[in-house]
Amino acid sequence: SSKSFGTIDTLSNAHTARKWLEKALGREKAVLNSHFIGVSTKPEKMTEWGIHPDKQLLLWDWVGGRYSLWSCIGLPIALTIGVEGFKAFLDGAHNIDQHFQTTEFSQNLPVLMGLIGVWNTNYLKLNTHAVLPYDGRLKYFTSYLQQLEMESNGKSTQRNGHKVEHNTCPIVWGEVGPNAQHAFYQLLHQGTHSVSCDFIAPIKRYNANHFTYAKTADTLIDQHLLALSNCLAQSRLLAFGNQVLNPEELEQLPAYKQYEGNQPSTTMLLKELSPRTMGKLIALYEHKVFVQSVIWDINPFDQWGVEKGKEIANELLPILNGQTAEVTHLDASTQGLIEFLLEKTDG
């Protein structure tokens, strides 16, 4: 899958897979024809690489990479959850699309999420935002949002070409809540940095009717209720600090056991985590990103920093693989690093 079919690291991975397959099955053309499917805007490049036209899936050139999972780029998703699951995924996103388009701003979830984020970033001066899902199946959701938000709105130039005069996208980070509680929640509660948070949890995770053994069902349901109680407890303490403590207890507490609170957070509860609700959740964040880009007057659909990094990598690769030894045009720092790498590689 490659929109341009020219991204060097993607093509390198594909080449590695092709070499592995050819070594196992032979170099016959039928091997490529039978075992590779391509997704791109460039059918001629896929054909040149060796993918049969019957196994090429095309997408529109205006589809941005980080917004493309709804298109045929989502083929791996459909293969994983089934075509009906993928249709439900798309339906959930469509539901939020319609909500965003037709609902007045006072009740419009992406608009409210966007406005809250702008308030936290520009008025409360919060530079980081933590996403904390209380479901292990959302382990990589924060990583997904890092690209969606920071690649879209990590910009400092407005559409009119002028520099922005305010902060734009905060640093997005996080982890599954039960793990994060034992890692960085201490900083959230009592550290010197203020962080805004999104808590995400499904209301229903386990259904006793789905289990053969009732005791197993009870144990798993109890585990989920424990996760929910932790989710609510953490957001409550972040918000209200010492107010949640017993007043009599508070009088005797030393300063290092007290909590300022007043840390902003949003708690989003899903009926359950399913392809449909996952589609809704991703669409909510996509439209939130767009709302914020409008307010900040930046373009969320380009990524020139990323593109320039790829371009420079293409310039450096021939030096590292020995095709050229010319490094005099490079800065002293990069020259020194390349010389060190080549020395160690040769050794």
Side-chain angles (χ1 to χ4, degrees):
S1 296
S2 175
K3 181 179 176 180
S4 65
F5 222 78
T7 303
I8 187 169
D9 48 346
T10 305
L11 287 178
S12 177
N13 288 339
H15 181 71
T16 300
R18 185 170 70 182
K19 295 293 286 186
W20 172 81
L21 198 65
E22 288 175 344
K23 184 177 180 181
L25 301 179
R27 295 179 179 272
E28 293 84 0
K29 191 175 181 180
V31 171
L32 278 177
N33 291 345
S34 300
H35 293 283
F36 281 88
I37 296 173
V39 182
S40 181
T41 61
K42 306 292 185 181
E44 68 282 358
K45 288 188 177 182
M46 288 191 283
T47 300
E48 181 183 351
W49 194 84
I51 297 174
H52 193 277
D54 290 345
K55 291 186 171 59
Q56 296 177 8
L57 302 178
L58 303 180
L59 67 152
W60 302 279
D61 59 6
W62 49 262
V63 176
R66 58 192 169 279
Y67 301 96
S68 63
L69 79 168
W70 317 109
S71 71
C72 54
I73 288 286
L75 174 63
I77 303 173
L79 294 175
T80 302
I81 64 175
V83 172
E84 292 306 313
F86 191 68
K87 288 180 179 178
F89 181 66
L90 296 179
D91 182 63
H94 177 70
N95 179 268
I96 295 299
D97 291 345
Q98 296 303 304
H99 168 83
F100 180 47
Q101 184 177 8
T102 61
T103 306
E104 62 174 294
F105 283 2
S106 64
Q107 301 295 317
N108 193 304
L109 291 178
V111 170
L112 295 175
M113 289 171 67
L115 290 173
I116 289 170
V118 169
W119 176 261
N120 289 336
T121 301
N122 297 133
Y123 295 93
L124 299 185
K125 306 300 181 184
L126 304 183
N127 296 318
T128 71
H129 179 68
V131 179
L132 308 165
Y134 274 76
D135 190 312
R137 295 170 295 176
L138 292 173
K139 177 176 176 58
Y140 298 108
F141 186 57
T142 301
S143 298
Y144 178 83
L145 293 182
Q146 286 177 329
Q147 183 195 17
L148 173 62
E149 299 214 22
M150 292 196 286
E151 192 167 88
S152 295
N153 286 343
K155 314 288 172 59
S156 57
T157 304
Q158 293 180 307
R159 288 177 177 270
N160 59 11
H162 297 158
K163 282 284 186 181
V164 298
E165 297 179 353
H166 43 258
N167 288 336
T168 55
C169 183
I171 297 169
V172 178
W173 59 295
E175 174 60 272
V176 174
N179 294 340
Q181 290 173 190
H182 302 286
F184 54 77
Y185 273 35
Q186 171 60 38
L187 181 145
L188 300 183
H189 288 300
Q190 293 184 307
T192 57
H193 300 278
S194 293
V195 180
S196 61
C197 301
D198 283 351
F199 293 90
I200 305 171
I203 298 171
K204 195 172 186 178
R205 169 82 196 259
Y206 298 107
N207 186 337
N209 295 329
H210 293 171
F211 295 94
T212 305
Y213 301 102
K215 289 183 178 180
T216 301
D218 291 342
T219 300
L220 292 173
I221 290 171
D222 286 345
Q223 281 186 335
H224 182 56
L225 294 177
L226 175 61
L228 289 176
S229 65
N230 271 298
C231 178
L232 299 180
Q234 300 294 342
S235 62
R236 184 179 181 222
L237 185 58
L238 283 172
F240 300 106
N242 282 348
Q243 295 180 51
V244 308
L245 305 180
N246 186 312
E248 296 179 0
E249 176 191 9
L250 184 59
E251 292 179 2
Q252 308 299 322
L253 281 182
Y256 62 83
K257 288 188 176 182
Q258 296 190 30
Y259 313 90
E260 290 188 13
N262 202 30
Q263 302 275 40
S265 70
T266 298
T267 300
M268 287 179 275
L269 298 176
L270 316 175
K271 289 183 179 179
E272 60 180 353
L273 184 58
S274 65
R276 191 171 191 275
T277 58
M278 192 68 201
K280 285 186 173 185
L281 190 61
I282 293 175
L284 276 175
Y285 278 94
E286 283 190 349
H287 293 312
K288 165 203 162 181
V289 164
F290 175 72
V291 168
Q292 292 178 332
S293 77
V294 172
I295 295 172
W296 290 324
D297 194 26
I298 55 180
N299 184 353
F301 301 113
D302 62 22
Q303 56 281 331
W304 295 113
V306 177
E307 298 302 326
K308 181 54 68 174
K310 292 178 182 178
E311 183 181 319
I312 295 173
N314 286 334
E315 294 174 2
L316 296 178
L317 184 60
I319 302 173
L320 293 174
N321 64 23
Q323 293 179 357
T324 179
E326 180 56 52
V327 297
T328 56
H329 64 291
L330 301 174
D331 59 274
S333 174
T334 304
Q335 284 188 45
L337 289 168
I338 286 177
E339 289 171 5
F340 181 82
L341 285 168
L342 292 177
E343 177 186 338
K344 293 301 180 183
T345 302
D346 293 340

